[in-house]
Amino acid sequence: MNARETPSEGQTYTQILKSTALIGGSSLITVGFSIIRNKAMAVILGPEGVGLMAIYSSIADIAQAVAGLGVQSSGVRQIAEAVGTGDTERIARTAFILQRISIVLGIAGTLLLAALALPVARLTFGDHQHAVSVAFLSLAIFFRVASAGQTAMIQGMREIATLARINLLTALFATLVTIPLVYFFGFDGVAPSLVAIAAVTLFVSWWYSRKMMQSATNLSAPQFRQELAELLKLGLVFMASGLLTLASAYVVRLIVLQHGGIVEAGLYQAAWALGSLYAGFILQAMGTDFYPRLTAIVSDHAACNRLVNEQARVSILLAGPGVLATLTFAPVVMRLFYSPEFYGAADLLRWICLGMLLRIIAWPMGFIVPAKGEQAIFFWTEVAATVVHIGLAWLLVAQFGLVGSAAAFFGLYLWHSILIYFFALRLTGFRWSPANLKIGLIFIASSALIFSATLFLPFWQATALGSLAVLLSGLYSLKMLMGLLPPEKIPLPIRRWMFRAA
């Protein structure tokens, strides 16, 4: 398929690249602050501190998912729908209910985690030593759920610039608060730092959302119940999906923790954080911009399949060189972002990168299922993915040690890519375009080659081969991406280079 056959195709690629650049750019500074925090944690506390932070974060994430009942995700949809009607009274009513129910659910979540601090600590760590920290961590649940209601309102009103400012300010203040806590209190400052991050998020989101809040007048009891029922009904579907994903990550971390202790848990968390860093820009843009556009045209199977192929092509071209670079320079990356103690995570990072490449390839297809409203397929594929991930981690960690946890992630997306292609074929008749098959095979084969080189060749030879692959793939991706745009959108120096290369 030639991107320039029709104007609509060129416009589609332009929109995909523009939204990816906008969302990815706004996330870049936030990620930079996160890297600073992770580096400080690694230097001050070592792998044990990073592992402890990961375990506490998993507990907080699961508690938030349960307490929130998915109302943030359903709230975005409800607010956006109200905004689409232009009915200011309905907007105010929906926002009012969303914020109030978020506060109530946040309080309930805090009380629940505090009450269950002893069993949660024992289940996670095998003793009651961390029970006090888990109980203190419960404060973060209120802050998180309450702020999620506010950010859902802002996102539903499509105030993307405001969301970007909230994320940037939150990242800045969180960094300024958490590093001193960990520096002065050591391991005892880990849980308070998570609470501080959540509190900062609530304050910043409240500061911006208060300017948008409108009084909900004439809100009757039947209206309240109807709006609340819609929020909770849709929210439970999102909650189930999110909870399964979090539970899978939590159990895999428990498997690693029980196999090798808190140090191995820290190495796994470090590799996971870096492996998902670059891919996160692309996946976030996909969820923010691509999904709504796909939902609008999903009944037109030809247009739907074309859009999925277009999104997949851009995503693969953007992600491929980054994956090859991470495979090549994994030890250097671990030292740069953490410390020499984390060299042991380099092999994990490589396996996770292979899984992330498959994830980026499969995700555009995966959005077909929720866009078609196939809730049963969506739910049961999430259940199956959870079982497969945990099962592979249990088997591979026992057989190969820590590296098995990362290989399990690769195995999960190898299986998931095949499964989701089957459902996409069944629901819309989706098939990969010849151009995408070619591009996908190029990057999959290149990744397999570099990964094998790091296993069987001396370090300098593998690095030289990988560097060459990164350079060539980067130029190839740049040329292909520019070829998807209308000529007038391409900068003149790049246009001249493409003409000479042709």
Side-chain angles (χ1 to χ4, degrees), residues 248-249 251-253 255-256 268 272 347-356 358 384-417 451:
S248 175
V251 173
V252 170
R253 284 180 172 85
I255 292 172
V256 172
Y268 175 80
W272 175 259
D347 289 337
L348 279 72
L349 178 58
R350 291 185 173 115
W351 277 108
I352 290 173
C353 279
L354 293 178
M356 284 295 174
L358 295 179
T386 300
V387 173
V388 169
H389 193 192
I390 294 174
L392 284 175
W394 181 71
L395 290 171
L396 296 179
V397 169
Q399 187 70 28
F400 301 105
L402 177 60
V403 73
S405 60
F409 177 74
F410 168 73
L412 165 65
Y413 273 96
L414 182 63
W415 167 85
H416 182 73
S417 300
F451 181 81

Side-chain angles (χ1 to χ4, degrees), residues 157-227:
M157 292 181 175
R158 300 167 189 170
E159 295 287 344
I160 305 302
T162 299
L163 279 177
R165 285 192 289 269
I166 290 174
N167 291 336
L168 292 176
L169 289 175
T170 298
L172 171 62
F173 292 142
T175 302
L176 295 177
V177 170
T178 55
I179 293 178
L181 281 173
V182 173
Y183 180 80
F184 288 108
F185 297 102
F187 289 96
D188 292 334
V190 174
S193 69
L194 290 173
V195 174
I197 292 173
V200 165
T201 304
L202 175 59
F203 173 77
V204 176
S205 62
W206 167 81
W207 181 262
Y208 283 97
S209 66
R210 68 188 174 87
K211 302 176 183 178
M212 303 177 187
M213 292 176 62
Q214 305 174 35
S215 299
T217 58
N218 302 321
L219 180 61
S220 65
Q223 287 176 325
F224 182 88
R225 287 194 297 268
Q226 181 182 358
E227 291 283 352

Side-chain angles (χ1 to χ4, degrees), residues 52 81-82 103 167 174 225 245 346 374 381 399 408 420 436 480:
L52 190 62
E81 187 178 65
I103 291 173
N167 291 336
R225 287 194 297 268
T245 302
E374 297 288 345
T381 52
Q399 187 70 28
I420 208 64
N436 279 359
M480 292 295 293

